[in-house]
Short mmCIF file of all heavy atoms in Angstrom, two decimals:
data_model
loop_
_atom_site.label_atom_id
_atom_site.label_comp_id
_atom_site.label_asym_id
_atom_site.label_seq_id
_atom_site.Cartn_x
_atom_site.Cartn_y
_atom_site.Cartn_z
N GLY N 252 24.23 -15.38 25.89
CA GLY N 252 23.57 -16.66 25.70
C GLY N 252 23.58 -17.48 26.97
O GLY N 252 23.80 -16.96 28.07
N ARG N 253 23.38 -18.79 26.80
CA ARG N 253 23.30 -19.68 27.95
C ARG N 253 24.53 -19.56 28.84
O ARG N 253 24.45 -19.72 30.06
CB ARG N 253 23.18 -21.13 27.45
CG ARG N 253 22.74 -22.11 28.54
CD ARG N 253 23.05 -23.56 28.14
NE ARG N 253 22.42 -23.97 26.90
CZ ARG N 253 21.22 -24.55 26.80
NH1 ARG N 253 20.52 -24.78 27.89
NH2 ARG N 253 20.76 -24.93 25.63
N GLY N 254 25.67 -19.26 28.21
CA GLY N 254 26.91 -19.17 28.97
C GLY N 254 26.89 -18.10 30.05
O GLY N 254 27.68 -18.16 31.00
N SER N 278 20.18 -14.70 23.27
CA SER N 278 19.76 -15.84 22.44
C SER N 278 18.40 -16.34 22.92
O SER N 278 17.89 -15.93 23.96
CB SER N 278 20.79 -16.97 22.55
OG SER N 278 20.72 -17.55 23.84
N ARG N 279 17.85 -17.28 22.16
CA ARG N 279 16.52 -17.79 22.53
C ARG N 279 16.56 -18.63 23.80
O ARG N 279 15.59 -18.64 24.56
CB ARG N 279 15.92 -18.62 21.38
CG ARG N 279 14.50 -19.00 21.69
CD ARG N 279 13.74 -19.40 20.48
NE ARG N 279 13.76 -20.83 20.26
CZ ARG N 279 12.82 -21.48 19.61
NH1 ARG N 279 11.79 -20.84 19.12
NH2 ARG N 279 12.91 -22.77 19.42
N VAL N 280 17.67 -19.32 24.03
CA VAL N 280 17.77 -20.09 25.28
C VAL N 280 17.51 -19.15 26.46
O VAL N 280 16.85 -19.51 27.44
CB VAL N 280 19.18 -20.74 25.38
CG1 VAL N 280 19.48 -21.14 26.81
CG2 VAL N 280 19.27 -21.94 24.46
N GLN N 292 15.49 -10.73 22.27
CA GLN N 292 16.03 -11.87 21.52
C GLN N 292 16.48 -11.48 20.11
O GLN N 292 15.75 -10.84 19.36
CB GLN N 292 14.97 -12.97 21.42
CG GLN N 292 15.49 -14.23 20.73
CD GLN N 292 14.45 -15.32 20.70
OE1 GLN N 292 13.82 -15.60 21.72
NE2 GLN N 292 14.25 -15.94 19.56
N VAL N 293 17.68 -11.93 19.79
CA VAL N 293 18.24 -11.71 18.44
C VAL N 293 18.12 -13.03 17.67
O VAL N 293 18.42 -14.08 18.22
CB VAL N 293 19.73 -11.31 18.54
CG1 VAL N 293 20.38 -11.27 17.17
CG2 VAL N 293 19.86 -9.96 19.23
N GLY N 294 17.66 -12.96 16.44
CA GLY N 294 17.64 -14.20 15.65
C GLY N 294 16.48 -14.30 14.71
O GLY N 294 15.74 -13.34 14.49
N GLN N 295 16.33 -15.49 14.20
CA GLN N 295 15.29 -15.78 13.20
C GLN N 295 13.92 -15.47 13.75
O GLN N 295 13.06 -14.96 13.03
CB GLN N 295 15.41 -17.27 12.85
CG GLN N 295 14.44 -17.76 11.81
CD GLN N 295 14.58 -19.27 11.63
OE1 GLN N 295 15.65 -19.84 11.81
NE2 GLN N 295 13.49 -19.92 11.28
N THR N 296 13.69 -15.82 15.01
CA THR N 296 12.40 -15.56 15.62
C THR N 296 12.48 -14.40 16.61
O THR N 296 11.62 -14.26 17.47
CB THR N 296 11.86 -16.83 16.32
OG1 THR N 296 12.92 -17.40 17.10
CG2 THR N 296 11.39 -17.84 15.30
N GLY N 297 13.53 -13.62 16.48
CA GLY N 297 13.68 -12.44 17.32
C GLY N 297 13.95 -11.23 16.45
O GLY N 297 13.50 -11.16 15.31
N GLY N 309 29.04 -16.02 25.34
CA GLY N 309 28.46 -17.31 25.71
C GLY N 309 27.33 -17.72 24.82
O GLY N 309 26.33 -18.29 25.27
N ILE N 310 27.44 -17.44 23.52
CA ILE N 310 26.43 -17.82 22.52
C ILE N 310 27.11 -18.78 21.54
O ILE N 310 28.18 -18.47 21.00
CB ILE N 310 25.90 -16.58 21.76
CG1 ILE N 310 25.19 -15.63 22.73
CG2 ILE N 310 24.97 -16.99 20.62
CD1 ILE N 310 24.71 -14.33 22.10
N SER N 311 26.50 -19.95 21.32
CA SER N 311 27.17 -20.98 20.51
C SER N 311 27.20 -20.64 19.03
O SER N 311 28.11 -21.08 18.32
CB SER N 311 26.49 -22.34 20.72
OG SER N 311 25.14 -22.27 20.32
N GLY N 312 26.19 -19.89 18.54
CA GLY N 312 26.19 -19.52 17.11
C GLY N 312 25.33 -20.43 16.26
O GLY N 312 25.68 -20.75 15.12
N ALA N 313 24.17 -20.83 16.79
CA ALA N 313 23.22 -21.63 16.00
C ALA N 313 22.74 -20.82 14.80
O ALA N 313 22.70 -19.59 14.87
CB ALA N 313 22.01 -22.01 16.89
N GLN N 315 19.93 -20.23 13.66
CA GLN N 315 18.79 -19.34 13.94
C GLN N 315 19.24 -18.07 14.65
O GLN N 315 18.58 -17.05 14.56
CB GLN N 315 17.74 -20.07 14.80
CG GLN N 315 17.10 -21.26 14.14
CD GLN N 315 17.85 -22.55 14.43
OE1 GLN N 315 18.94 -22.54 14.96
NE2 GLN N 315 17.24 -23.68 14.06
N HIS N 316 20.32 -18.14 15.39
CA HIS N 316 20.85 -16.92 16.03
C HIS N 316 21.60 -16.08 15.00
O HIS N 316 21.41 -14.86 14.91
CB HIS N 316 21.76 -17.25 17.22
CG HIS N 316 22.14 -16.03 18.00
ND1 HIS N 316 21.35 -15.46 18.96
CD2 HIS N 316 23.22 -15.20 17.88
CE1 HIS N 316 21.91 -14.36 19.42
NE2 HIS N 316 23.06 -14.18 18.77
N ILE N 329 32.90 -14.09 22.58
CA ILE N 329 33.56 -14.45 23.83
C ILE N 329 32.99 -15.82 24.21
O ILE N 329 31.78 -15.93 24.47
CB ILE N 329 33.29 -13.42 24.94
CG1 ILE N 329 33.77 -12.02 24.50
CG2 ILE N 329 33.95 -13.84 26.25
CD1 ILE N 329 33.42 -10.91 25.48
N ASN N 330 33.84 -16.83 24.20
CA ASN N 330 33.33 -18.19 24.39
C ASN N 330 34.44 -19.06 24.98
O ASN N 330 35.60 -18.89 24.62
CB ASN N 330 32.86 -18.75 23.04
CG ASN N 330 31.85 -19.87 23.21
OD1 ASN N 330 32.16 -20.89 23.82
ND2 ASN N 330 30.66 -19.67 22.68
N ASP N 331 34.06 -19.99 25.85
CA ASP N 331 35.11 -20.85 26.43
C ASP N 331 35.38 -22.09 25.58
O ASP N 331 36.21 -22.92 25.94
CB ASP N 331 34.77 -21.22 27.89
CG ASP N 331 33.48 -22.02 28.02
OD1 ASP N 331 32.88 -22.36 26.97
OD2 ASP N 331 33.08 -22.29 29.16
N ASP N 332 34.66 -22.20 24.46
CA ASP N 332 34.85 -23.35 23.57
C ASP N 332 35.38 -22.85 22.23
O ASP N 332 34.66 -22.22 21.47
CB ASP N 332 33.51 -24.07 23.40
CG ASP N 332 33.59 -25.19 22.37
OD1 ASP N 332 34.71 -25.53 21.93
OD2 ASP N 332 32.52 -25.73 22.01
N ALA N 335 33.28 -23.55 19.09
CA ALA N 335 31.89 -23.07 18.97
C ALA N 335 31.66 -22.49 17.57
O ALA N 335 32.50 -21.74 17.06
CB ALA N 335 31.60 -22.01 20.03
N GLY N 347 37.67 -18.03 26.56
CA GLY N 347 37.79 -18.07 28.01
C GLY N 347 36.44 -17.87 28.68
O GLY N 347 35.41 -17.80 27.99
N ASP N 348 36.47 -17.76 29.98
CA ASP N 348 35.24 -17.62 30.77
C ASP N 348 34.74 -16.18 30.70
O ASP N 348 35.44 -15.25 31.13
CB ASP N 348 35.54 -18.02 32.22
CG ASP N 348 34.28 -17.98 33.09
OD1 ASP N 348 33.20 -17.59 32.58
OD2 ASP N 348 34.39 -18.34 34.27
N LEU N 349 33.55 -16.01 30.17
CA LEU N 349 33.02 -14.64 30.01
C LEU N 349 32.86 -13.93 31.35
O LEU N 349 32.88 -12.70 31.42
CB LEU N 349 31.69 -14.66 29.24
CG LEU N 349 30.46 -15.29 29.91
CD1 LEU N 349 29.65 -14.26 30.69
CD2 LEU N 349 29.58 -15.95 28.88
N HIS N 350 32.70 -14.70 32.43
CA HIS N 350 32.53 -14.08 33.75
C HIS N 350 33.79 -13.36 34.20
O HIS N 350 33.74 -12.49 35.06
CB HIS N 350 32.11 -15.13 34.79
CG HIS N 350 30.78 -15.74 34.46
ND1 HIS N 350 30.65 -16.89 33.71
CD2 HIS N 350 29.53 -15.33 34.74
CE1 HIS N 350 29.38 -17.17 33.54
NE2 HIS N 350 28.67 -16.23 34.16
C1 FAD U 234 12.42 -22.62 14.84
C2 FAD U 234 13.54 -22.15 15.71
C3 FAD U 234 13.75 -20.80 15.86
C4 FAD U 234 14.80 -20.33 16.66
N1 FAD U 234 14.99 -18.98 16.76
C5 FAD U 234 16.06 -18.54 17.47
C6 FAD U 234 16.34 -17.14 17.56
O1 FAD U 234 15.62 -16.28 17.02
N2 FAD U 234 17.43 -16.76 18.27
C7 FAD U 234 18.27 -17.65 18.90
O2 FAD U 234 19.24 -17.24 19.54
N3 FAD U 234 17.99 -18.98 18.83
C8 FAD U 234 16.91 -19.44 18.16
N4 FAD U 234 16.65 -20.76 18.15
C9 FAD U 234 17.44 -21.65 19.05
C10 FAD U 234 18.80 -22.04 18.51
O3 FAD U 234 18.68 -23.18 17.70
C11 FAD U 234 19.77 -22.37 19.67
O4 FAD U 234 19.21 -23.37 20.47
C12 FAD U 234 20.10 -21.16 20.55
O5 FAD U 234 20.47 -20.05 19.77
C13 FAD U 234 21.25 -21.52 21.47
O6 FAD U 234 21.42 -20.50 22.42
P1 FAD U 234 22.82 -20.27 23.13
O7 FAD U 234 23.87 -20.08 22.10
O8 FAD U 234 22.64 -19.23 24.17
O9 FAD U 234 23.03 -21.64 23.94
P2 FAD U 234 23.99 -22.86 23.67
O10 FAD U 234 23.84 -23.39 22.30
O11 FAD U 234 23.80 -23.80 24.80
O12 FAD U 234 25.45 -22.23 23.74
C14 FAD U 234 26.03 -21.70 24.90
C15 FAD U 234 27.46 -21.28 24.54
O13 FAD U 234 28.03 -20.65 25.66
C16 FAD U 234 29.35 -21.09 25.82
N5 FAD U 234 29.67 -20.95 27.25
C17 FAD U 234 29.16 -21.63 28.30
N6 FAD U 234 29.67 -21.15 29.46
C18 FAD U 234 30.51 -20.15 29.12
C19 FAD U 234 31.34 -19.28 29.89
N7 FAD U 234 31.37 -19.30 31.23
N8 FAD U 234 32.11 -18.38 29.22
C20 FAD U 234 32.08 -18.31 27.86
N9 FAD U 234 31.31 -19.12 27.10
C21 FAD U 234 30.53 -20.02 27.72
C22 FAD U 234 29.34 -22.54 25.35
O14 FAD U 234 30.63 -22.96 24.93
C23 FAD U 234 28.37 -22.45 24.16
O15 FAD U 234 29.05 -22.15 22.96
C24 FAD U 234 15.62 -21.25 17.35
C25 FAD U 234 15.40 -22.62 17.20
C26 FAD U 234 14.38 -23.07 16.40
C27 FAD U 234 14.17 -24.55 16.25
#
Side-chain angles (χ1 to χ4, degrees):
R253 194 198 301 269
S278 71
R279 187 161 94 154
V280 162
Q292 184 177 313
V293 172
Q295 182 185 330
T296 46
I310 297 176
S311 61
Q315 297 91 350
H316 188 83
I329 302 174
N330 203 300
D331 62 4
D332 174 9
D348 183 357
L349 68 91
H350 297 92

